[in-house]
Amino acid sequence: MRMTTEEAFVKTLQLHGIEHAFGIIGSAFMPISDLFPRAGITFWDCAHEGSGGMMADGYTRASGKMSMMIAQNGPGITNFVTAVKTAYWNHTPLLLVTPQAANKTIGMGGFQEVEQMALFKDMVAYQEEVRDPSRVAEVLNRVIINARRHSAPAQINMPRDYWTQVIDIELPLPVEFERPMGGEAAMTEAAALLSSAKFPVILNGAGVVIGGAIPASMALAERLDAPVCVGYQHNDAFPGSHPLFAGPLGYNGSKAGMELISRADVVLCLGTRLNPFSTLPGYGLDYWPKDAKIIQVDINPNRIGLTKKVSVGIVGDAKKVAEGLLARLSPVAGDAGRAERKALIAQTKSAWAQALSSMDHEDDDPGTTWNQRARDDKPDWMSPRMAWRAIQAALPKEAIISSDIGNNCAIGNAYPTFETGRKYLAPGLFGPCGYGLPSIVGAKIGCPDTPVVGFAGDGAFGIAVTELTAIGRPEWPAITMVVFRNYQWGAEKRNSTLWYDDNFVGTELDEQVSYAGIAQACGLQGVQARTMDALRDALAKAIDDQMKHGKTTLIEAMINQELGEPFRRDAMKKPVEVAGISKADMRPQLA
């Protein structure tokens, strides 16, 4: 078939059903963007490419459909780096299209030139450069297939002078593949361990959500009466109302989940790479069961046994493995101590729910007083936990929410639960600031009939605030955004109180800035809430305005400066002075 290279490119996108692209327009890809409207592809021109990449991540994680990131070669593409690595550790299949400087001049240090393949080498699961115009569809098809296969971003690098070439080409058809269901010997051994377990526990990770394995894991849990924990920031990997749901592990997670998994003699880790951060001690509990038999299930064999000692490793799809294990269980599986285990699960969950509902304030570590001073300074202001309780009272059960990185969002990790998957978008283990707003915008594009609410601290939100200048245009969907406003970089300030004697370097934000005011200046609704009742009512109204009137609202939740647990107790320690530092040693620079 005879066509242009841009026609071949767009037709290949159509064969894979890619309908949405995120980025900023640039001359390097205008030959294909010119075809987007005719092809049924919507180009979402954001305010910053980094946010556009996080919109793509949010869209794909919420909808399950693959999307595309694209921008001008050079500085437009370099702005994608943080978003692409975020999507990599979120296991999000994305197409990264990087138009390249022209072959004719590359290597001369010309305008907007950078080594784009080297730049993303550690950021993507697969990358390939188009070597000849006639191969554009072949390469693009392979990149898309690899993004799906690895559930991660994949990159196609396209020299810009390969556009507007006329070629003879046969369009490749997408290749479907069947995911593995686990090796026979490993499945048999794992089923035997679960069948004889006295206190089995299931730990669901992102693979359960991505693979649609929640119903299969639920059937397995019910057969064993095993409590189900979820990995850090994967609160939507099991139904929150289920009596066996024990909550998230890791930073500011569920104490009930931690106490229950500490009792396990067998742990089935389903669809999780067991990232070390996800099982850090919490609430003073070093809860990981060191003598338990660990069964780890992951689609990627390189991640099995990487972080924890594993008794059985199963390479396979979470859904197929869970179904296969259920079929292989012995008739008496789960019977040992079943009644006592069920009672303990209910008792432990109830005690944690009561404790969580009564938590109003953050404790100070011995020898520090910051949280008490913060309460004394603003006695009438909400604490972060008060704000989260008000939010929980107003959030619809079907809502999709996003959370940014930071202290106040992290405090909220123990609160939200969900009945289905693809409802909780968090920045993941790359931990970028500025994720909450763009990801929830992407989620709304993917799920236009579902209420969406984003959350961010005021420091992290400042990184993405420019998107308010983009999302008020008529073609963009309405969303709701909550910003916790306490005028500080909370996570770093907590470190400063614990290890640096309240030496607050770079932790303070401008109290004259109003994010609600910026939203209003951008033609959006911006409100402030200073009490729990006001926050609950403002959020309820904002969601109503989003769903019924197509209005975007930003809510500034004005909270005191209390600080929760530090992110990394394991990585910080009190400094000691040896040589000493003095201003007197500063020398003037030579002219």
Side-chain angles (χ1 to χ4, degrees):
M1 183 182 270
R2 196 163 177 79
M3 64 184 70
T4 65
T5 47
E6 56 266 29
E7 287 172 334
F9 195 97
V10 170
K11 285 180 180 293
T12 304
L13 293 177
Q14 289 178 309
L15 284 171
H16 286 274
I18 295 177
E19 301 174 290
H20 294 275
F22 297 86
I24 294 179
I25 194 67
S27 61
F29 68 95
M30 290 185 80
I32 59 170
S33 63
D34 178 60
L35 301 177
F36 284 173
R38 277 174 276 169
I41 298 171
T42 302
F43 180 65
W44 298 95
D45 48 332
C46 54
H48 188 280
E49 292 92 349
S51 292
M54 292 179 187
M55 289 179 188
D57 184 74
Y59 168 86
T60 296
R61 290 178 69 187
S63 69
K65 299 177 182 178
M66 197 165 161
S67 58
M68 175 171 67
M69 306 159 61
I70 189 167
Q72 177 68 5
N73 63 271
I77 295 303
T78 61
N79 281 345
F80 275 139
V81 167
T82 297
V84 172
K85 191 62 176 183
T86 298
Y88 180 87
W89 285 124
N90 282 338
H91 317 291
T92 307
L94 293 176
L95 171 62
L96 173 62
V97 180
T98 58
Q100 180 60 286
N103 270 333
K104 186 187 300 185
T105 59
I106 199 164
M108 296 181 180
F111 185 62
Q112 296 183 323
E113 180 182 324
V114 69
E115 289 289 342
Q116 293 177 175
M117 292 286 281
L119 184 70
F120 289 98
K121 182 181 178 181
D122 185 49
M123 309 288 167
V124 297
Y126 181 83
Q127 59 179 183
E128 189 170 348
E129 185 170 69
V130 179
R131 298 294 187 180
D132 184 88
S134 66
R135 297 184 63 189
V136 59
E138 168 211 334
V139 173
L140 178 57
N141 182 64
R142 188 159 47 246
V143 168
I144 294 171
I145 287 172
N146 273 282
R148 295 190 192 279
R149 184 171 297 163
H150 296 286
S151 196
Q155 176 193 10
I156 178 171
N157 204 55
M158 176 76 171
R160 61 180 297 168
D161 54 349
Y162 281 0
W163 300 127
T164 64
Q165 306 290 316
V166 178
I167 55 175
D168 288 310
I169 191 170
E170 181 179 347
L171 293 177
L173 293 176
V175 177
E176 300 295 332
F177 59 92
E178 188 173 2
R179 293 184 177 272
M181 59 183 67
E184 185 65 30
M187 291 289 286
T188 299
E189 185 179 357
L193 285 175
L194 289 169
S195 295
S196 62
K198 294 180 173 59
F199 205 104
V201 175
I202 298 174
L203 172 57
N204 281 0
V208 173
V209 176
I210 294 167
I214 294 175
S217 74
M218 187 161 54
L220 186 58
E222 290 170 350
R223 174 71 176 79
L224 295 168
D225 273 314
V228 180
C229 303
V230 294
Y232 178 62
Q233 296 187 339
H234 297 302
N235 300 35
D236 58 347
F238 201 76
S241 64
H242 198 286
L244 293 174
F245 180 59
L249 300 182
Y251 183 54
N252 278 319
S254 164
K255 190 175 181 181
M258 296 173 189
E259 290 177 343
L260 289 168
I261 201 170
S262 70
R263 294 173 170 267
D265 58 345
V266 177
V267 181
L268 172 63
C269 304
L270 189 60
T272 172
R273 60 192 177 92
L274 290 175
N275 181 277
F277 189 81
S278 297
T279 54
L280 285 179
Y283 309 105
L285 301 174
D286 187 7
Y287 53 83
W288 189 256
K290 301 192 174 44
D291 296 325
K293 300 292 186 182
I294 306 299
I295 305 163
Q296 186 180 2
V297 181
D298 199 288
I299 198 75
N300 184 345
N302 296 329
R303 291 175 181 156
I304 293 177
L306 182 63
T307 64
K308 301 288 186 187
K309 183 180 178 182
V310 171
S311 301
V312 181
I314 301 175
V315 180
D317 173 77
K319 179 181 178 181
K320 290 184 175 182
V321 170
E323 291 171 342
L325 289 174
L326 179 63
R328 287 172 169 81
L329 292 178
S330 75
V332 297
D335 287 352
R338 185 184 298 271
E340 295 84 357
R341 188 167 61 252
K342 288 175 68 176
L344 181 63
I345 294 168
Q347 177 187 346
T348 306
K349 286 182 60 176
S350 176
W352 169 239
Q354 291 178 41
L356 188 62
S357 66
S358 64
M359 284 185 187
D360 280 341
H361 299 291
E362 304 305 310
D363 294 331
D364 280 308
D365 275 43
T368 67
T369 61
W370 175 261
N371 285 330
Q372 185 60 55
R373 283 180 280 155
R375 289 191 287 275
D376 293 343
D377 184 54
K378 292 183 172 65
D380 298 327
W381 287 45
M382 287 184 288
S383 70
R385 291 191 183 275
M386 291 175 181
W388 273 109
R389 292 214 305 274
I391 287 162
Q392 288 301 108
L395 269 180
K397 286 186 177 181
E398 72 276 16
I400 299 171
I401 73 170
S402 71
S403 175
D404 220 306
I405 203 73
N407 198 257
N408 290 314
C409 285
I411 286 172
N413 187 41
Y415 292 88
T417 61
F418 308 89
E419 294 308 301
T420 57
R422 299 193 180 277
K423 294 290 188 181
Y424 189 37
L425 310 178
L429 273 302
F430 194 54
C433 290
Y435 183 85
L437 173 61
S439 63
I440 209 63
V441 172
K444 187 67 175 183
I445 291 169
C447 305
D449 298 324
T450 303
V452 304
V453 183
F455 298 95
D458 47 7
F461 183 74
I463 291 176
V465 67
T466 51
E467 294 311 314
L468 297 181
T469 67
I471 64 174
R473 288 171 289 176
E475 64 271 23
W476 288 76
I479 59 101
T480 301
M481 188 72 203
V482 177
V483 180
F484 299 108
R485 197 70 167 116
N486 60 2
Y487 308 107
Q488 62 187 0
W489 285 99
E492 287 65 39
K493 198 164 187 176
R494 180 63 158 156
N495 292 341
S496 300
T497 66
L498 290 177
W499 292 289
Y500 298 100
D501 299 323
D502 287 358
N503 185 25
F504 301 132
V505 178
T507 61
E508 307 310 295
L509 300 176
D510 190 347
E511 295 188 17
Q512 299 181 82
V513 173
S514 167
Y515 285 137
I518 294 174
Q520 292 169 10
C522 293
L524 310 171
Q525 297 185 144
V527 298
Q528 288 186 340
R530 297 181 178 277
T531 66
M532 291 178 68
D533 288 345
L535 178 55
R536 181 198 63 221
D537 295 345
L539 182 54
K541 182 180 184 303
I543 293 170
D544 187 70
D545 283 344
Q546 175 194 145
M547 300 304 297
K548 295 180 181 177
H549 307 292
K551 293 182 179 180
T552 288
T553 305
L554 182 145
I555 302 170
E556 274 189 300
M558 312 304 289
I559 60 175
N560 68 21
Q561 293 192 320
E562 288 183 58
L563 298 167
E565 270 289 291
F567 272 100
R568 298 301 306 273
R569 282 190 187 272
D570 64 313
M572 304 288 290
K573 62 181 181 180
K574 190 91 171 169
V576 296
E577 185 172 325
V578 180
I581 298 295
S582 171
K583 287 183 181 179
D585 294 332
M586 179 65 73
R587 293 183 179 184
Q589 293 187 25
L590 297 177

